[in-house]
Amino acid sequence: MAIKLVDPSGLPEIDVYRQVSIATGSKLVFVAGQVAWDGEGVTVGEGDLAAQVEQCYLNIGTALAGAGGSFDDVAKLTFYVVDWTPDKMPPLLEGISRASAKLGVTPVPPATLLGVAALDVPEHLVEIEATAVLD
């Protein structure tokens, strides 16, 4: 495996991600920001943040598989959430949990969450991009 996830001493341990990823692989994979589109380009879960996060994760899983990888290879995730407020954390985590169960993974790479005013279309509430490293 090309990615080792760690929480160095002196930094807080966060349940849903690790503070550092150490990449030793040789192939970088940059996954475009994924939104809640199904395979036909139809928005899944309009108005439902948890459903949209789940679909984003499933799309990232599909993209990584297409590159020969999986969530085990993810070095970093970046979340863009429309009109972010802390009360949106439970549905965000619920979506991650549901997708993780479907994918059979526990994705905890370093992550950045950014609140944004808008995304590509009004019905999209979240966009998630991933960077992975493969052997």
Side-chain angles (χ1 to χ4, degrees):
M1 186 178 326
I3 300 293
K4 179 181 178 182
L5 302 175
V6 298
D7 283 321
S9 178
L11 294 176
E13 290 187 23
I14 309 296
D15 290 340
V16 296
Y17 66 88
R18 299 298 173 262
Q19 295 286 357
V20 176
S21 66
I22 302 166
T24 58
S26 59
K27 184 163 119 180
L28 290 175
V29 178
F30 298 93
V31 178
Q34 296 297 302
V35 293
W37 279 329
D38 65 12
E40 304 299 316
V42 175
T43 298
V44 172
E46 194 166 335
D48 182 342
L49 181 60
Q52 290 200 14
V53 169
E54 178 181 2
Q55 186 63 45
C56 291
Y57 264 67
L58 296 175
N59 291 349
I60 290 168
T62 298
L64 291 169
S70 72
F71 264 96
D72 290 335
D73 302 304
V74 173
K76 175 85 166 51
L77 292 171
T78 303
F79 294 74
Y80 303 90
V81 183
V82 174
D83 297 326
W84 174 258
T85 55
D87 63 313
K88 293 183 180 180
M89 186 61 81
L92 185 136
L93 295 175
E94 178 185 335
I96 293 170
S97 178
R98 292 187 333 213
S100 297
K102 286 182 178 178
L103 294 167
V105 298
T106 305
V108 291
T112 298
L113 189 153
L114 300 166
V116 296
L119 292 170
D120 58 334
V121 295
E123 59 266 20
H124 289 160
L125 305 175
V126 61
E127 183 168 335
I128 306 170
E129 62 184 20
T131 302
V133 180
L134 307 177
D135 286 324

